[in-house]
Amino acid sequence: MTNQPNQPNQPNRQHQPYDPYGQQPQAWPGQGYQQGYEDPHAAQQYTQQWQGQTWETQNHRAVSAQAPDPETAILTPQSPQSPQSPQSPRTPQGPEAPAATDADASATGYGPATVGGNARVTDAQRARAEGRSPIIEPGMQPAALTALLGLLLAGAAAVGTYALLVPLVILQAVTAAGWFRLNGMWPARQGIALGFAGALAADAALLVSGRSPSAILGTIGVWVLLALVLQLRSHADPDERMYGLMATVAASALAIVAGGYLAAAADAVTVGAVAVAVAVPARALPLPTPASVVVSLLAAAGAGIAMGSVTDLGTSGALLGAGAAVCALIGHRVASYDYPSRFVHFTAGVALPLAAAAPAVYVLGRALA
């Protein structure tokens, strides 16, 4: 048997690599051309895929070869009786879409889009716009409660130091709660509890130190640092944290300062508390503001003279009563600001006049003794 030489024009197909641009037959659109290989996976990399459109031979319309993406497909409403043909115009989307009308907005339940938003107008702003005063005074009922609490302070101070603690603790609790509500922060249980705890700490420090006023100042400093640390640990917005910090510091300071009744002399507390108990109801009388202020101060001075004659202060009680009344009227004015609610009137409106008068009672009592 003779050996036949290899033909140079006939390459060995088993060892020759596939040449996609050579003499291999070209695949038709939508089909893949594949030959037998030793490695079935190696053939897939040479398979040609048609990415485009095909034509339906019956209607000669362009038909997409792939299914539409459900996220990007544009859905148009169709009725069962008349399906939409491919040539029907689509609803414009994006910038060329027409703006929604008021009729469409009312049909969907949503209003038309706005750029500036809807800013809420407070009652105080509406009152200023209408030419009315944004100040509403607490009235006679909170004034009567202030007078009752003042008389309790005066009577308890005459009994003894520990008896004074009962109405004083009530005053400090109502002061902390009323200040937070006056600033529109209710319920703010953490801040109210912190302010009330500061007042209790100040009362304990006063009793331990022999009713030294340095206990009040030291407690205020410690509580300011504590409120600052707690607000720094908060995850609220910076503006909200700042509002919360200022409200907490102010409520704590007012509740602690009310402990000045515990540091003051018993006679000064008696005279000052009775003067406030008379001045606040006089301020609530249905009189013009200047007239009611004058009547209030005169009534407080008269009460100071009357109680001074009973105690060791004598006629100097008039000055103590007038000074306590001035501070009480300032607290009364603060509790009336910016259209407060009924709850504010029965918390801040009751407590702030007495709490604001505590420093004057201590200072004037020490000066006139």
Side-chain angles (χ1 to χ4, degrees):
M1 183 175 181
T2 61
N3 295 328
Q4 295 180 357
N6 293 331
Q7 300 294 331
N9 296 329
Q10 296 180 358
N12 189 358
R13 295 181 179 274
Q14 296 180 355
H15 301 284
Q16 184 179 4
Y18 175 73
D19 184 8
Y21 301 103
Q23 299 179 357
Q24 301 297 332
Q26 190 72 17
W28 292 96
Q31 298 178 356
Y33 183 82
Q34 182 178 358
Q35 291 183 348
Y37 289 89
E38 295 179 359
D39 187 4
H41 298 285
Q44 296 179 0
Q45 61 181 340
Y46 300 111
T47 303
Q48 296 181 356
Q49 300 291 337
W50 178 262
Q51 301 291 338
Q53 292 181 342
T54 59
W55 280 264
E56 185 177 354
T57 57
Q58 295 181 358
N59 297 329
H60 301 283
R61 290 197 300 258
V63 181
S64 175
Q66 296 180 353
D69 189 358
E71 296 182 356
T72 60
I74 300 176
L75 302 179
T76 55
Q78 301 181 13
S79 60
Q81 291 80 8
S82 59
Q84 184 182 7
S85 62
Q87 291 85 358
S88 60
R90 294 179 177 178
T91 303
Q93 302 289 337
E96 54 276 334
T101 60
D102 294 340
D104 297 335
S106 61
T108 57
Y110 297 96
T114 59
V115 177
N118 234 347
R120 181 183 178 273
V121 179
T122 63
D123 294 336
Q125 293 174 346
R126 184 180 296 107
R128 292 189 183 97
E130 295 175 357
R132 294 182 288 110
S133 174
I135 302 298
I136 294 182
E137 298 177 357
M140 187 56 71
Q141 292 181 352
L145 293 177
T146 302
L148 176 62
L149 188 56
L151 293 178
L152 289 177
L153 286 171
V159 173
T161 301
Y162 291 96
L164 181 60
L165 283 174
V166 177
L168 178 60
V169 169
I170 297 175
L171 172 63
Q172 290 169 333
V174 177
T175 300
W179 184 261
F180 268 91
R181 188 61 185 91
L182 183 62
N183 287 270
M185 297 180 181
W186 180 270
R189 298 180 180 88
Q190 181 180 0
I192 295 173
L194 183 62
F196 182 59
L200 295 180
D203 296 342
L206 283 170
L207 294 176
V208 171
S209 63
R211 302 194 299 178
S212 174
S214 60
I216 295 178
L217 299 178
T219 307
I220 291 177
V222 171
W223 245 250
V224 168
L225 293 177
L226 182 59
L228 180 61
V229 171
L230 292 179
Q231 290 298 326
L232 289 177
R233 293 172 57 88
S234 175
H235 298 287
D237 296 334
D239 292 341
E240 185 176 352
R241 282 186 293 178
M242 181 59 67
Y243 296 151
L245 175 62
M246 298 306 296
T248 304
V249 170
S252 301
L254 287 172
I256 294 172
V257 164
Y261 288 109
L262 194 62
D267 292 341
V269 174
T270 301
V271 174
V274 171
V276 173
V278 173
V280 175
R283 178 66 178 84
L285 294 175
L287 297 174
T289 299
S292 64
V293 170
V294 172
V295 170
S296 177
L297 293 178
L298 292 177
I305 294 175
M307 297 306 299
S309 62
V310 177
T311 61
D312 295 337
L313 290 176
T315 56
S316 60
L319 181 59
L320 176 59
V326 170
C327 295
L329 294 182
I330 293 175
H332 182 271
R333 178 72 173 185
V334 172
S336 307
Y337 180 69
D338 203 9
Y339 269 61
S341 64
R342 184 178 178 85
F343 186 88
V344 174
H345 286 164
F346 281 93
T347 52
V350 172
L352 284 185
L354 285 168
V361 170
Y362 173 78
V363 173
L364 293 177
R366 291 290 298 268
L368 299 175

